[in-house]
Amino acid sequence: MIRDEAKLRAYYANPPEDVCLEDIDLDRVPRHVSFIMDGNGRWAQAKGLPRSSGHAAGVDSLREVVTTSVRLGIDVLSAYAFSTENWRRSQEEVGLLMHLFATTLVHELPLFHQENVRLQFLGDISELPAETREVFLRGLSETADHDGMTFALAVNYGSRAELVRAARSIARDVGAGTLGADQIDEDLFASRLYTQGLPDPELLVRTSGELRLSNYLLWQLAYTEIFVTDVLWPDFTKWDYLRAIRAYQGRDRRFGGVSTA
């Protein structure tokens, strides 16, 4: 994606002491950055607020991450918003989240238009409440022709369910005789995933200090660099984003081979 250097440097003016834009090699930013947004509830609890306040505050962080990704020239940003397991939460919290998803997308569509961001969803959005689903479909339609960054939001997503869905799709084709078993390879399998057409993430950022993948992009994260921060999602800023990229650029990515350094 084309980067606007002037906007980027203005955006990262007045840095804190420990990180600045000059710490980053702008020619080596990850093509695809993914986020597990964690810690909304703990953030609210620490402030004596209801969990709903944490989720609302998390929207501000997501907006900043979208803007930061555009400024840095990231091609694909993905984020884990609601898992298939999250339906187990209280009916009140699930309902609040679904309403928040819908209202947030309506409010953020002008930003997507302004920044030329194309929206995509990972997961089965057909199972979402009608209001939320209709707003999501509107977002897909209105941004379909945008050719800037792709923002892939994982909602009603579970990686194991995604893998089963892909296997069933391939099995149906084999059963119908339109696909031979010897034609099944990694590229074919990847083409049946929700992330079809997207590059695998090069960097995964997980907030709130948890050290697990939580059933997220298990196939796609095979060789992704993982950065975990103790910062809770509502407190995550553009400076934390730089810290994650700086750490990523300090890794030796060997993909199972031997370092040539």
Side-chain angles (χ1 to χ4, degrees):
M1 192 175 71
I2 298 176
R3 182 190 304 116
D4 187 321
E5 296 279 351
K7 283 186 177 180
L8 176 62
R9 298 201 176 277
Y11 185 68
Y12 272 115
N14 304 313
E17 292 183 359
D18 69 311
V19 66
C20 64
L21 187 61
E22 283 64 35
D23 293 337
I24 305 302
D25 181 348
L26 294 176
D27 292 327
R28 292 196 303 118
V29 296
R31 185 181 177 195
H32 180 174
V33 181
S34 193
F35 284 84
I36 297 179
M37 307 178 291
D38 198 13
N40 291 346
R42 275 167 283 174
W43 181 89
Q45 184 179 29
K47 296 179 178 297
L49 300 170
R51 289 177 62 86
S52 58
S53 297
H55 295 313
V59 170
D60 295 333
S61 294
L62 183 57
R63 182 185 305 112
E64 183 161 331
V65 162
V66 170
T67 302
T68 303
S69 298
V70 172
R71 295 289 173 268
L72 288 169
I74 305 295
D75 288 332
V76 180
L77 168 68
S78 55
Y80 202 11
F82 190 87
S83 75
T84 50
E85 291 76 25
N86 286 155
W87 293 108
R88 301 171 187 167
R89 296 186 180 184
S90 71
Q91 185 175 359
E92 179 183 9
E93 183 172 357
V94 169
L96 182 146
L97 283 168
M98 291 299 153
H99 179 70
L100 183 63
F101 291 155
T103 55
T104 296
L105 184 54
V106 169
H107 292 155
E108 300 306 323
L109 272 175
L111 173 65
F112 294 163
H113 294 315
Q114 175 185 320
E115 302 292 357
N116 195 27
V117 172
R118 183 177 71 90
L119 183 63
Q120 181 171 331
F121 290 102
L122 312 178
D124 185 2
I125 65 172
S126 69
E127 296 184 357
L128 302 181
E131 176 195 21
T132 305
R133 184 174 64 252
E134 288 169 8
V135 171
F136 281 7
L137 292 175
R138 172 187 166 190
L140 290 173
S141 175
E142 289 194 16
T143 66
D145 293 333
H146 292 183
D147 57 5
M149 185 184 77
T150 295
F151 175 41
L153 191 64
V155 180
N156 193 27
Y157 174 87
S159 190
R160 289 183 174 181
E162 177 186 35
L163 296 174
V164 169
R165 173 180 175 269
R168 285 175 175 166
S169 172
I170 293 170
R172 281 193 293 268
D173 287 349
V174 172
T178 58
L179 180 69
D182 58 352
Q183 295 177 277
I184 302 171
D185 58 16
E186 291 185 11
D187 290 338
L188 175 70
F189 197 88
S191 74
R192 305 299 176 98
L193 301 175
Y194 288 118
T195 51
Q196 175 188 3
L198 300 180
D200 290 339
E202 293 169 282
L203 172 63
L204 172 70
V205 179
R206 176 154 194 163
T207 58
S208 87
E210 299 293 348
L211 302 174
R212 56 178 177 269
L213 294 179
S214 297
N215 195 20
Y216 182 57
L217 298 182
L218 300 179
W219 173 280
Q220 298 88 338
L221 295 176
Y223 278 102
T224 300
E225 298 296 326
I226 300 174
F227 179 83
V228 177
T229 174
D230 289 332
V231 175
L232 302 177
W233 178 248
D235 291 327
F236 193 87
T237 69
K238 61 186 179 183
W239 304 109
D240 295 305
Y241 203 153
L242 275 194
R243 294 180 183 101
I245 292 179
R246 181 178 62 187
Y248 162 83
Q249 292 186 342
R251 308 276 179 89
D252 182 12
R253 306 195 74 212
R254 299 186 301 276
F255 300 95
V258 177
S259 174
T260 58

Coordinates of all heavy atoms in Angstrom, one line a residue, residues 189-233:
F189 N -6.1 -25.9 0.2 CA -6.8 -25.8 1.5 C -6.9 -24.4 1.9 O -8.0 -24.0 2.4 CB -6.0 -26.6 2.5 CG -6.7 -26.9 3.8 CD1 -7.5 -28.1 3.9 CD2 -6.7 -26.1 4.8 CE1 -8.2 -28.4 5.0 CE2 -7.4 -26.4 6.0 CZ -8.2 -27.5 6.1
A190 N -5.9 -23.6 1.7 CA -5.9 -22.2 2.1 C -7.0 -21.4 1.3 O -7.6 -20.5 1.9 CB -4.6 -21.5 1.9
S191 N -7.3 -21.9 0.1 CA -8.3 -21.2 -0.7 C -9.7 -21.4 -0.2 O -10.7 -20.7 -0.6 CB -8.2 -21.7 -2.1 OG -8.7 -23.0 -2.3
R192 N -9.9 -22.4 0.8 CA -11.2 -22.6 1.3 C -11.4 -22.0 2.7 O -12.4 -22.2 3.3 CB -11.4 -24.1 1.4 CG -11.2 -24.9 0.1 CD -12.2 -24.5 -1.0 NE -12.0 -25.2 -2.2 CZ -12.6 -26.3 -2.6 NH1 -13.6 -26.8 -1.9 NH2 -12.3 -26.8 -3.8
L193 N -10.4 -21.2 3.1 CA -10.5 -20.6 4.4 C -11.1 -19.2 4.3 O -11.2 -18.6 3.2 CB -9.1 -20.4 5.0 CG -8.3 -21.8 5.3 CD1 -6.9 -21.5 5.8 CD2 -9.1 -22.6 6.3
Y194 N -11.5 -18.6 5.4 CA -12.1 -17.2 5.4 C -11.1 -16.2 4.9 O -11.5 -15.2 4.3 CB -12.6 -16.8 6.8 CG -13.8 -17.5 7.2 CD1 -13.8 -18.3 8.4 CD2 -15.0 -17.4 6.6 CE1 -14.9 -19.0 8.8 CE2 -16.2 -18.0 7.0 CZ -16.1 -18.8 8.1 OH -17.3 -19.5 8.6
T195 N -9.8 -16.5 5.0 CA -8.8 -15.6 4.7 C -8.3 -15.7 3.2 O -7.3 -15.2 2.8 CB -7.5 -15.7 5.6 OG1 -7.2 -17.1 5.6 CG2 -7.8 -15.2 7.0
Q196 N -9.1 -16.4 2.4 CA -8.7 -16.7 1.0 C -8.3 -15.3 0.3 O -9.0 -14.3 0.4 CB -9.9 -17.2 0.3 CG -9.7 -17.4 -1.2 CD -11.0 -17.8 -2.0 OE1 -12.0 -17.9 -1.4 NE2 -10.9 -18.0 -3.3
G197 N -7.2 -15.4 -0.3 CA -6.7 -14.2 -1.0 C -5.9 -13.2 -0.2 O -5.3 -12.3 -0.7
L198 N -5.8 -13.4 1.1 CA -5.0 -12.6 2.0 C -3.7 -13.2 2.3 O -3.7 -14.4 2.5 CB -5.8 -12.3 3.3 CG -7.1 -11.6 3.2 CD1 -7.7 -11.4 4.6 CD2 -7.0 -10.2 2.5
P199 N -2.6 -12.5 2.5 CA -1.4 -13.0 2.9 C -1.5 -13.5 4.4 O -2.3 -12.9 5.1 CB -0.4 -11.9 2.8 CG -1.2 -10.7 2.9 CD -2.5 -11.0 2.3
D200 N -0.8 -14.5 4.8 CA -0.8 -14.8 6.2 C -0.2 -13.7 7.1 O 0.7 -13.0 6.6 CB 0.1 -16.1 6.4 CG -0.6 -17.3 5.9 OD1 -1.8 -17.3 5.7 OD2 0.1 -18.3 5.6
P201 N -0.6 -13.5 8.3 CA 0.0 -12.5 9.1 C 1.5 -12.7 9.3 O 1.9 -13.8 9.5 CB -0.8 -12.6 10.5 CG -2.1 -13.3 10.1 CD -1.7 -14.3 9.0
E202 N 2.2 -11.6 9.3 CA 3.6 -11.7 9.6 C 3.8 -11.3 11.1 O 4.8 -11.8 11.7 CB 4.4 -10.7 8.8 CG 4.4 -11.1 7.3 CD 4.9 -10.0 6.4 OE1 4.2 -9.1 6.1 OE2 6.1 -10.1 6.0
L203 N 2.9 -10.6 11.7 CA 3.0 -10.2 13.1 C 1.6 -10.3 13.7 O 0.6 -9.8 13.2 CB 3.5 -8.7 13.2 CG 3.5 -8.1 14.6 CD1 4.4 -8.8 15.5 CD2 3.8 -6.6 14.5
L204 N 1.6 -11.0 14.9 CA 0.4 -11.1 15.7 C 0.7 -10.4 17.0 O 1.7 -10.7 17.7 CB 0.1 -12.6 16.0 CG -1.1 -12.8 17.0 CD1 -2.4 -12.3 16.5 CD2 -1.1 -14.2 17.6
V205 N -0.2 -9.4 17.4 CA -0.1 -8.7 18.6 C -1.2 -9.1 19.5 O -2.4 -9.0 19.1 CB -0.1 -7.2 18.4 CG1 0.0 -6.4 19.7 CG2 1.0 -6.7 17.4
R206 N -0.9 -9.6 20.7 CA -1.9 -9.9 21.7 C -1.7 -9.0 22.9 O -0.6 -8.9 23.5 CB -1.8 -11.4 22.2 CG -2.8 -11.6 23.3 CD -3.3 -13.1 23.3 NE -4.5 -13.1 24.2 CZ -5.4 -14.1 24.2 NH1 -5.2 -15.2 23.4 NH2 -6.4 -14.1 25.0
T207 N -2.8 -8.3 23.3 CA -2.7 -7.4 24.5 C -3.1 -8.2 25.7 O -3.6 -9.3 25.7 CB -3.6 -6.2 24.3 OG1 -5.0 -6.7 24.0 CG2 -3.2 -5.4 23.1
S208 N -2.9 -7.6 26.9 CA -3.3 -8.0 28.2 C -2.4 -9.1 28.8 O -2.7 -9.6 29.9 CB -4.7 -8.4 28.3 OG -4.9 -9.7 27.9
G209 N -1.3 -9.5 28.1 CA -0.4 -10.5 28.7 C -0.7 -11.9 28.6 O 0.0 -12.8 29.1
E210 N -1.8 -12.3 28.0 CA -2.2 -13.7 27.9 C -1.4 -14.4 26.8 O -1.1 -13.8 25.7 CB -3.7 -13.8 27.5 CG -4.7 -13.2 28.6 CD -4.6 -13.9 29.9 OE1 -4.1 -15.1 29.9 OE2 -5.2 -13.4 30.9
L211 N -0.9 -15.6 27.1 CA 0.0 -16.3 26.3 C -0.7 -17.5 25.6 O -0.3 -18.7 25.8 CB 1.2 -16.8 27.1 CG 2.0 -15.7 27.8 CD1 3.1 -16.3 28.7 CD2 2.6 -14.8 26.8
R212 N -1.7 -17.2 24.8 CA -2.4 -18.3 24.0 C -3.0 -17.7 22.8 O -3.2 -16.5 22.7 CB -3.5 -18.9 24.9 CG -4.5 -17.9 25.5 CD -5.6 -18.6 26.3 NE -6.5 -17.7 26.9 CZ -6.4 -17.2 28.1 NH1 -5.3 -17.5 28.8 NH2 -7.3 -16.3 28.5
L213 N -3.3 -18.6 21.8 CA -3.9 -18.2 20.6 C -5.4 -18.1 20.6 O -6.0 -17.5 19.7 CB -3.4 -19.1 19.4 CG -1.9 -19.1 19.1 CD1 -1.6 -20.1 18.0 CD2 -1.5 -17.7 18.7
S214 N -6.0 -18.7 21.5 CA -7.5 -18.6 21.7 C -8.3 -19.0 20.4 O -9.2 -18.3 20.0 CB -7.9 -17.2 22.2 OG -7.3 -16.9 23.4
N215 N -7.8 -20.1 19.8 CA -8.6 -20.6 18.6 C -8.6 -19.6 17.5 O -9.7 -19.4 16.8 CB -10.0 -21.1 19.0 CG -10.6 -22.0 18.0 OD1 -10.0 -22.6 17.1 ND2 -12.0 -22.0 18.1
Y216 N -7.5 -18.9 17.3 CA -7.5 -17.8 16.3 C -6.5 -18.1 15.2 O -5.3 -18.3 15.5 CB -7.2 -16.5 17.0 CG -7.2 -15.3 16.0 CD1 -8.3 -14.9 15.3 CD2 -6.0 -14.5 16.0 CE1 -8.3 -13.8 14.5 CE2 -6.0 -13.4 15.2 CZ -7.1 -13.0 14.4 OH -7.1 -11.9 13.6
L217 N -6.9 -18.2 13.9 CA -6.1 -18.3 12.8 C -5.0 -19.4 12.9 O -3.8 -19.1 12.6 CB -5.4 -16.9 12.5 CG -6.3 -15.8 12.1 CD1 -5.5 -14.5 11.8 CD2 -7.3 -16.1 10.9
L218 N -5.3 -20.6 13.4 CA -4.4 -21.6 13.7 C -3.6 -22.0 12.4 O -2.4 -22.3 12.5 CB -5.1 -22.8 14.3 CG -5.8 -22.5 15.6 CD1 -6.5 -23.8 16.1 CD2 -4.9 -22.0 16.7
W219 N -4.2 -22.1 11.3 CA -3.5 -22.4 10.0 C -2.6 -21.2 9.6 O -1.4 -21.4 9.3 CB -4.5 -22.7 8.9 CG -4.0 -22.9 7.6 CD1 -3.6 -21.9 6.7 CD2 -3.7 -24.2 6.9 NE1 -3.1 -22.5 5.5 CE2 -3.2 -23.9 5.6 CE3 -3.8 -25.5 7.3 CZ2 -2.8 -24.8 4.7 CZ3 -3.5 -26.5 6.4 CH2 -3.0 -26.2 5.1
Q220 N -3.2 -20.0 9.6 CA -2.5 -18.9 9.1 C -1.3 -18.4 9.9 O -0.4 -17.7 9.4 CB -3.5 -17.7 8.9 CG -4.7 -18.0 8.0 CD -5.9 -18.7 8.7 OE1 -5.7 -19.3 9.7 NE2 -7.1 -18.6 8.1
L221 N -1.3 -18.7 11.2 CA -0.3 -18.2 12.1 C 0.9 -19.2 12.2 O 1.8 -19.0 13.1 CB -0.8 -18.0 13.5 CG -1.9 -16.9 13.6 CD1 -2.4 -16.8 15.0 CD2 -1.3 -15.5 13.2
A222 N 1.1 -20.1 11.3 CA 2.1 -21.1 11.3 C 3.5 -20.5 11.5 O 4.3 -21.1 12.3 CB 2.0 -22.0 10.1
Y223 N 3.8 -19.5 10.8 CA 5.1 -18.9 10.9 C 5.1 -17.4 11.2 O 6.0 -16.6 10.9 CB 5.9 -19.1 9.6 CG 6.6 -20.4 9.5 CD1 6.0 -21.5 8.8 CD2 7.7 -20.7 10.3 CE1 6.5 -22.7 8.7 CE2 8.3 -22.0 10.3 CZ 7.7 -23.0 9.5 OH 8.3 -24.2 9.4
T224 N 4.0 -17.0 11.9 CA 3.9 -15.6 12.3 C 4.7 -15.3 13.6 O 4.7 -16.1 14.5 CB 2.4 -15.3 12.6 OG1 1.6 -15.6 11.4 CG2 2.1 -13.9 13.1
E225 N 5.3 -14.1 13.6 CA 6.0 -13.6 14.8 C 4.9 -13.1 15.8 O 4.0 -12.4 15.4 CB 6.9 -12.5 14.5 CG 8.1 -12.9 13.5 CD 9.0 -14.0 14.1 OE1 9.2 -14.0 15.4 OE2 9.5 -14.8 13.4
I226 N 5.0 -13.5 17.1 CA 4.1 -13.1 18.1 C 4.7 -12.1 19.1 O 5.8 -12.3 19.6 CB 3.6 -14.4 18.8 CG1 2.9 -15.4 17.8 CG2 2.6 -14.0 19.9 CD1 2.5 -16.7 18.5
F227 N 3.9 -11.1 19.3 CA 4.3 -10.1 20.3 C 3.2 -9.9 21.3 O 2.1 -9.7 21.0 CB 4.5 -8.7 19.6 CG 4.9 -7.6 20.5 CD1 6.2 -7.4 20.9 CD2 3.9 -6.7 21.0 CE1 6.6 -6.4 21.8 CE2 4.3 -5.7 21.9 CZ 5.6 -5.5 22.2
V228 N 3.5 -10.2 22.6 CA 2.6 -10.1 23.7 C 2.9 -8.9 24.5 O 4.1 -8.8 24.9 CB 2.6 -11.4 24.5 CG1 1.6 -11.2 25.7 CG2 2.2 -12.6 23.6
T229 N 2.0 -8.1 24.8 CA 2.2 -6.9 25.7 C 1.2 -7.0 26.9 O 0.1 -7.5 26.7 CB 2.0 -5.6 25.0 OG1 2.1 -4.5 25.9 CG2 0.6 -5.6 24.3
D230 N 1.6 -6.5 28.0 CA 0.8 -6.5 29.2 C -0.3 -5.4 29.1 O -1.2 -5.3 29.9 CB 1.6 -6.3 30.5 CG 2.4 -7.6 30.8 OD1 1.9 -8.7 30.5 OD2 3.4 -7.5 31.5
V231 N -0.1 -4.5 28.2 CA -1.0 -3.4 28.0 C -2.4 -3.9 27.7 O -2.6 -4.8 26.8 CB -0.6 -2.4 26.9 CG1 -1.6 -1.3 26.6 CG2 0.8 -1.8 27.2
L232 N -3.4 -3.4 28.4 CA -4.8 -3.8 28.2 C -5.3 -3.1 26.9 O -4.9 -2.0 26.6 CB -5.7 -3.5 29.3 CG -5.3 -4.1 30.7 CD1 -6.2 -3.6 31.8 CD2 -5.3 -5.6 30.6
W233 N -6.2 -3.8 26.2 CA -6.6 -3.3 24.8 C -7.0 -1.8 24.9 O -6.6 -1.0 24.0 CB -7.6 -4.2 24.2 CG -8.1 -3.7 22.9 CD1 -9.3 -3.2 22.5 CD2 -7.3 -3.5 21.7 NE1 -9.3 -2.8 21.2 CE2 -8.1 -3.0 20.7 CE3 -5.9 -3.9 21.4 CZ2 -7.6 -2.7 19.4 CZ3 -5.5 -3.6 20.1 CH2 -6.3 -3.1 19.1

